């Protein structure tokens, strides 16, 4: 088995290197900021996977950008992807198996791989015991609290229903060093809302027992992807890993801890009731630092490392990053699984450029009142409630939802979708707030950790306006709001001074309202105004507009409107909607590259160095 894994990795390395998909970095690279900076530069250029052969301070090699593009991710699973998609189709439509039994015979064979296999031969596989300090301690961003595991597979079991089939495998970040952690003895375990591990810890806490945790790192890529798959509660990620990898998940137990016998590294430990320590900061996928908060403390028991083990890592920051490919691949695999779970829903798309969770786009159906000549949102409001009550979709802050009988509209085409909505939306009718509710743990735009608000924009019906592609002449004459820029048709960014407090902001928006009411003709084709710190930046690209607008706004606090009103608890506005997307004092700082480190890594891209010309190679 051990020889099988070594052979498999050698074949992958040889194949990727031959085709320009992998580059070996032979120079010593510092895990403090340098390795992350190299990864970012290569990923941004659409470059190859990287194998760091000399990690300063560690005897282990490290690999990154493995899933750097969708095509490379699909290449990894080229032998199993179709059978996995077919299994999901059969789950959604079991009658297919009866209609086409021969076509689906291979699906039954693939399903056999879903059954985990207990493996008693652990000693030959896990080569040695090491310490946390022996691992590649990679710090990604300058303000990070220490070194983190960024591709962990965190394994826990249900204390009431033990066993691998009722286990949870999730990708929850692990802080290895820094803060108040006792090196080699303690590490931090950060997980957010709607995660399976939370259910397991809650049950263990109620019984006053420690929760046994195993953190797998490396091994088959199918295990890494399985840890981020949004599987329904009660379905084991280990079964999915077996099908996707074409090889049954192999495991054993040592001192009561589950050990993946295919992993490169395994860290075992326990989380005791009530034991927390400060975790963070950490540059996260919204493009900001998640700040220091108390999270569960994991007391380290044993750290295992395979012979010739390789430490996989990625870098998390403002999208698009490598985890963008994860999302794209998950969509490829699941297809329309989520829409089939929600009646009337045709499509839903989490916008990566906005940090995924802050912004959802959805297309539903309008079938409730075919007898009525009026075309206004009805069924899509029901669908919106269902979307915001479904798994991780419930973390969304903004949900744009519409219906399209022509079936030509696509949520993945963000600009076209937004334009479709903005042509039809009626701000006096189509704005629906959810206040004092939960939002993403990593989103600091709200009123506290996990706390904030949501808004649904539900538009349906005839076109109400055309959208301006130029700045109306009246906007440059505004006082205190300067440098107007068109972000996309119908969306205009205005720059003003920094945010002070909400009392001042209300007065500022009232002043903007009064000024614009004097020029109603300027508002006819501008349905959305974004107030920001730097309108040149916001208006420069669609991605900049999406990132700034939807990550820096708490809907209940930061949405205003021209000629706004409140009637029977419903808020609306007659003129354009205004989103205050300025940075607020309570927001987390954005992640930024270190210019000194950027200069230091130039040596690796110079002529004669390992990465010379690597960014210009044809890669998957």
């Amino acid at each position: 088995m051990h020889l099988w894994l070594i052979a498999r990795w050698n074949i992958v390395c040889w194949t990727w290197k031959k085709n320009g998909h992998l580059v070996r970095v032979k120079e010593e690279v510092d895990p403090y900021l340098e390795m992350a900076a190299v990864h970012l530069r290569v990923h941004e250029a659409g470059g190859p996977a990287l194998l760091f052969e000399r990690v300063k301070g560690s005897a282990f090699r490290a690999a990154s950008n493995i899933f750097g593009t969708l095509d490379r991710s699909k290449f990894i699973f080229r032998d199993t992807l179709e059978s996995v998609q077919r299994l999901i189709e059969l789950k959604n439509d079991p009658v297919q198996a009866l209609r086409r039994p021969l076509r689906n015979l291979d699906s039954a064979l693939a399903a056999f791989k879903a059954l985990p296999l207990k493996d008693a031969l652990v000693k030959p596989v896990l080569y040695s015991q090491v310490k946390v300090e022996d691992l590649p301690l990679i710090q990604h961003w300058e303000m990070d609290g220490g070194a983190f595991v960024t591709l962990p597979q965190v394994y826990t079991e249900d204390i009431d229903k033990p066993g691998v089939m009722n286990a949870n495998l999730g990708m929850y970040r692990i802080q290895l060093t820094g803060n108040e952690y006792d090196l080699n003895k303690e590490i931090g375990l950060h997980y957010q809302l709607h995660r399976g591990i939370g259910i397991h810890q809650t049950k263990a806490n109620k019984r006053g027992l420690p929760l046994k945790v195993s953190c797998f790192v490396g091994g088959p890529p199918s295990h890494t992807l399985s840890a981020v798959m949004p599987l329904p509660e009660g379905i084991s990620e280990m079964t999915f890993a077996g099908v996707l990898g074409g090889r049954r998940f192999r495991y054993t137990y040592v001192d009561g801890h589950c050990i993946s016998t295919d992993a490169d590294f395994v860290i075992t430990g326990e989380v005791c009731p009530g034991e927390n320590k400060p975790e963070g900061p950490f540059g996260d996928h919204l493009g900001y630092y998640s700040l220091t908060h108390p999270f569960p403390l994991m007391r380290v028991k044993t750290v295992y490392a395979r012979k010739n083990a390789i430490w996989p890592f990625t870098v998390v920051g403002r999208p698009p990053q490598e985890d963008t490919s994860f999302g794209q691949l998950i969509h490829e695999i699941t297809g329309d699984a989520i829409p089939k779970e929600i009646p009337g829903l045709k499509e839903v798309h989490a916008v990566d450029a906005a940090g995924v969770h802050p912004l959802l786009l959805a297309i539903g159906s309008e079938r409730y009142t075919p007898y009525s000549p009026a075309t206004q949102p009805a069924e899509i409001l029901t669908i919106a409630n269902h979307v915001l009550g479904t798994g991780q979709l419930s973390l969304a802050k903004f949900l744009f939802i519409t219906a399209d009988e022509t079936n030509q509209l696509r949520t993945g085409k963000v600009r076209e979708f937004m334009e479709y909505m903005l042509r039809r939306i009626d701000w006096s009718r189509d704005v629906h707030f959810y206040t004092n509710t939960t939002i993403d743990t990593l989103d600091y735009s709200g009123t506290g950790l996990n706390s904030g608000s949501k808004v649904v924009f539900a538009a349906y019906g005839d076109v109400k306006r055309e959208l301006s592609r130029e700045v109306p002449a009246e906007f440059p004459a505004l006082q205190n709001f300067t440098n107007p820029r068109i972000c996309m048709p119908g969306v205009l960014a205005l720059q003003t001074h920094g945010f002070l407090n909400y009392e001042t902001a209300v007065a500022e928006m009232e002043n903007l309202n009064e000024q614009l009411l004097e020029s109603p003709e300027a508002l006819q084709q501008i349905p959305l105004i974004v107030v920001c710190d730097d309108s040149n930046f916001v208006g420069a690209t669609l991605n900049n507009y999406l990132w700034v607008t939807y990550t820096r706004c708490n809907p209940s606090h930061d949405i205003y409107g021209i000629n706004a009103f409140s009637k029977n608890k419903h808020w609306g506005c007659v003129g354009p909607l205004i989103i205050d997307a300025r940075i607020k004092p309570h927001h987390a700082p954005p992640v930024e590259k270190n210019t000194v480190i950027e200069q230091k890594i130039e040596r690796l891209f110079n002529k004669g160095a390992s990465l010379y010309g690597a960014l210009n190679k044809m890669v998957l």
Side-chain angles (χ1 to χ4, degrees):
M1 182 191 314
H2 178 41
L3 293 176
W4 175 86
L5 287 168
I6 293 176
R8 178 71 179 253
W9 173 250
N10 287 337
I11 291 171
V12 169
C13 287
W14 179 83
T15 304
W16 283 16
K17 186 175 181 182
K18 177 184 177 183
N19 293 281
H21 310 324
L22 175 75
V23 171
R24 296 176 182 267
V25 181
K26 300 183 181 299
E27 297 86 348
E28 183 180 76
V29 186
D30 196 332
Y32 178 76
L33 304 185
E34 284 191 10
M35 290 174 67
V38 172
H39 165 98
L40 285 170
R41 186 175 298 188
V42 172
H43 177 268
E44 288 169 2
L50 301 171
L51 180 62
F52 294 88
E53 297 193 331
R54 296 175 58 200
V55 178
K56 184 178 180 180
S58 178
F60 296 106
R61 296 175 292 171
S64 77
N65 207 32
I66 298 168
F67 302 92
T69 68
L70 176 60
D71 286 339
R72 184 153 67 241
S73 299
K74 291 168 68 174
F75 178 77
I76 293 172
F77 303 114
R78 62 195 180 279
D79 296 330
T80 59
L81 195 59
E82 185 177 346
S83 62
V84 172
Q85 291 169 323
R86 195 169 298 155
L87 279 171
I88 291 175
E89 289 174 3
L90 290 176
K91 176 183 178 295
N92 293 330
D93 185 9
V95 177
Q96 282 191 41
L98 299 177
R99 290 172 179 162
R100 308 177 69 179
L102 294 179
R103 178 180 184 270
N104 294 298
L105 182 61
D106 62 334
S107 296
L109 297 174
F112 173 75
K113 302 285 181 64
L115 300 175
L117 178 63
K118 191 169 184 180
D119 182 359
L121 300 177
V122 65
K123 289 186 178 179
V125 177
L126 295 173
Y127 176 72
S128 61
Q129 294 186 21
V130 298
K131 297 180 179 180
V132 169
E133 64 185 11
D134 299 323
L135 305 174
L137 300 176
I138 302 171
Q139 180 164 334
H140 302 82
W141 299 102
E142 191 171 6
M143 290 173 57
D144 281 356
F148 285 80
V149 189
T150 50
L151 288 177
Q153 307 152 34
V154 181
Y155 176 98
T156 57
E157 293 187 5
D158 188 325
I159 200 165
D160 293 333
K161 296 182 291 184
V164 68
M165 294 303 290
N166 294 311
N168 177 75
L169 191 73
M171 191 169 287
Y172 318 121
R173 75 175 187 239
I174 304 292
Q175 184 169 350
L176 297 173
T177 65
N179 295 1
E180 301 173 11
Y181 299 116
D182 189 347
L183 182 62
N184 297 318
K185 297 180 180 179
E186 299 174 344
I187 58 179
L189 175 58
H190 175 118
Y191 66 85
Q192 301 156 45
L193 293 174
H194 305 290
R195 302 302 196 267
I197 188 175
I199 298 171
H200 290 174
Q201 188 180 0
T202 298
K203 288 187 175 183
N205 286 353
K206 286 182 177 179
R207 293 174 57 175
L209 297 174
L211 178 69
K212 291 186 180 296
V213 180
S214 300
C215 176
F216 312 142
V217 183
S222 60
H223 294 191
T224 301
L225 183 63
S226 296
V228 296
M229 279 295 296
L231 299 176
E233 187 176 326
I235 295 181
S236 170
E237 287 82 7
M238 278 54 68
T239 60
F240 183 83
V243 176
L244 184 61
R247 170 181 168 83
R248 296 169 69 180
F249 178 86
R250 285 160 165 77
Y251 69 100
T252 191
Y253 285 92
V254 177
D255 296 329
H257 291 271
C258 183
I259 306 293
S260 166
T261 57
D262 282 346
D264 284 76
F265 301 86
V266 179
I267 306 172
T268 66
E270 293 181 338
V271 175
C272 296
E275 286 196 345
N276 298 326
K277 275 194 174 182
E279 185 269 355
F282 178 74
D284 230 311
H285 72 264
L286 267 70
Y288 307 89
Y289 287 94
S290 56
L291 303 181
T292 303
H293 298 284
F295 276 96
L297 169 70
M298 177 173 162
R299 295 188 176 277
V300 177
K301 182 175 178 60
T302 310
V303 183
Y304 298 101
R306 180 186 304 283
K307 186 177 182 179
N308 298 318
I310 295 175
W311 182 267
F313 75 96
T314 188
V315 180
V316 188
R318 180 189 164 185
Q321 297 292 348
E322 187 176 359
D323 53 4
T324 300
S325 299
F326 277 125
Q328 293 171 334
L329 185 59
I330 288 170
H331 182 73
E332 286 273 334
I333 292 171
T334 59
D336 59 355
I338 292 178
K340 286 194 174 183
E341 289 184 11
I342 301 178
L345 181 64
K346 295 180 179 179
E347 288 186 26
V348 63
H349 175 63
V351 180
D352 182 70
V356 181
H357 288 146
L359 177 60
L360 289 182
L361 310 181
I363 299 174
S365 306
E366 280 294 349
R367 306 165 299 182
Y368 281 178
T369 54
Y371 51 82
S372 174
T375 52
Q376 65 182 42
E379 184 178 2
I380 59 174
L381 293 175
T382 302
I383 296 169
N385 286 325
H386 201 155
V387 168
L388 292 179
T390 301
Q392 294 187 37
L393 296 179
S394 65
L395 298 177
K397 283 193 307 184
F398 287 84
L399 171 58
F400 285 72
I401 186 168
T402 188
D404 170 36
E405 282 73 21
T406 69
N407 293 319
Q408 300 297 310
L409 189 64
R410 293 291 178 265
T411 53
K413 296 182 177 181
V414 176
R415 184 189 299 272
E416 291 85 346
F417 182 92
M418 287 283 197
E419 289 184 25
Y420 184 93
M421 288 278 298
L422 292 174
R423 286 192 179 98
R424 290 163 174 80
I425 199 157
D426 179 350
W427 298 123
S428 69
R429 179 193 67 192
D430 297 339
V431 183
H432 309 274
F433 286 99
Y434 300 70
T435 60
N436 295 321
T437 186
T438 56
I439 60 173
D440 188 1
T441 305
L442 307 178
D443 191 332
Y444 285 85
S445 67
T447 52
L449 189 66
N450 298 323
S451 301
S453 62
K454 308 177 189 297
V455 67
V456 171
F457 298 141
Y460 177 68
D462 299 329
V463 172
K464 291 179 173 56
R465 68 184 67 82
E466 291 303 317
L467 305 177
S468 178
R469 297 174 182 271
E470 298 180 352
V471 176
E474 294 83 355
F475 277 91
L478 294 174
Q479 296 181 352
N480 301 318
F481 295 88
T482 61
N483 200 24
R485 291 289 183 268
I486 292 291
C487 305
M488 58 169 282
V491 179
L492 183 137
L494 284 175
Q495 183 172 317
T496 190
H497 56 73
F499 182 94
L500 297 176
N501 53 59
Y502 278 109
E503 291 76 13
T504 303
V506 169
E508 292 167 339
M509 298 308 154
E510 181 57 35
N511 174 257
L512 177 60
N513 176 67
E514 292 173 358
Q515 293 187 67
L516 290 177
L517 282 177
E518 296 177 1
S519 304
E521 63 279 0
L523 308 178
Q524 293 175 3
Q525 297 181 339
I526 302 288
L528 181 57
I529 297 172
V530 179
V531 175
C532 59
D533 298 299
D534 184 350
S535 56
N536 284 335
F537 178 81
V538 175
T541 67
L542 177 66
N543 280 358
N544 284 1
Y545 152 67
L546 294 170
W547 182 58
V548 169
T549 304
Y550 300 103
T551 64
R552 298 179 183 177
C553 172
N554 179 13
S556 63
H557 288 55
D558 297 319
I559 287 180
Y560 304 86
I562 301 302
N563 205 0
F565 66 89
S566 180
K567 183 178 181 181
N568 299 327
K569 309 298 188 300
H570 176 78
W571 182 94
C573 58
V574 178
L577 191 85
I578 301 172
I579 297 179
D580 185 350
R582 290 177 290 178
I583 292 179
K584 317 302 190 299
H586 61 279
H587 286 186
V591 295
E592 297 177 343
K593 293 182 179 179
N594 183 303
T595 55
V596 174
I597 297 297
E598 292 297 311
Q599 293 173 358
K600 287 183 68 175
I601 65 171
E602 284 293 338
R603 71 187 191 279
L604 302 172
F605 297 88
N606 292 334
K607 190 172 183 178
S610 295
L611 295 175
Y612 178 70
L615 304 187
N616 299 321
K617 290 183 178 180
M618 294 295 291
V619 297
L620 277 180

